[in-house]
Amino acid sequence: MKKEAIVMKHCKETRVVQTHRIMPQETNSFGNMFGGQLLSLVDNSASVSASRMSRTVVMTAAMDKMNFLAPLPENDSVCVESFVSGVGKKSCEVFVKVLGEHLATGERYIAATSFMTFVAITDDPDFRMPEIVADSEEEAMICSGYDQRRQERLSQRQADQALHEKLTKQVFWLDEDYYKSGN
């Protein structure tokens, strides 16, 4: 039997950098970027990283963590950086770092971080994600925690499935008995 060569990709081959000026229509009532707007940018950037890794169609499976660390005010820039930080057979984890920049002063700050999971959508039963290779110290630090984060995700997924099985699907606002029961 012929042994297949292991395909490897470097984090830098999956790196995506998107920079945008924060415009008034993207802000909330406090003059900072609306969280949903930032989530869209994060998912968009991460999906390109996952696609560069898999070279097939990918779908967002989970946003494992989204840490909002600092507000992103109007007229600052927001820079979303992402790269693949771990792989399974048909899935990959993408790390996303969001940097803000006060354009008037040049001061940069970390505004958010996130880990996302993407799944390759393919009919190929032999499909396998390439292995990931870290080059920089930051990449190595992030990638080194992948196995632990993966185990935590698997445990959390079991807990989430148990919760989802108990959730009601009723249209409670139309059910008079729902309000009488004290819910």
Side-chain angles (χ1 to χ4, degrees), residues 59-117:
M59 183 177 291
T60 308
M63 178 173 274
D64 304 323
K65 288 187 178 179
M66 183 68 202
N67 300 300
F68 294 96
L69 304 172
L72 291 156
E74 179 183 334
N75 282 320
D76 276 12
S77 72
V78 57
C79 179
V80 180
E81 297 182 25
S82 62
F83 63 87
V84 171
S85 52
V87 296
K89 184 178 185 307
K90 290 189 176 183
S91 66
C92 66
E93 175 193 78
V94 178
F95 173 69
V96 183
K97 176 173 63 174
V98 178
L99 298 171
E101 181 181 350
H102 299 302
L103 293 173
T105 65
E107 177 191 351
R108 293 176 61 115
Y109 53 96
I110 297 178
T113 60
S114 180
F115 286 98
M116 299 188 67
T117 302

Side-chain angles (χ1 to χ4, degrees), residues 110-155:
I110 297 178
T113 60
S114 180
F115 286 98
M116 299 188 67
T117 302
F118 288 81
V119 178
I121 308 301
T122 177
D123 294 329
D124 180 0
D126 297 323
F127 177 86
R128 182 158 191 84
M129 287 280 184
E131 296 295 319
I132 193 72
V133 178
D135 294 309
S136 73
E137 285 184 34
E138 183 175 68
E139 291 168 354
M141 177 192 63
I142 299 297
C143 291
S144 70
Y146 170 72
D147 290 331
Q148 180 180 347
R149 289 188 300 273
R150 184 173 185 272
Q151 289 306 312
E152 290 169 0
R153 274 193 293 275
L154 293 174
S155 295

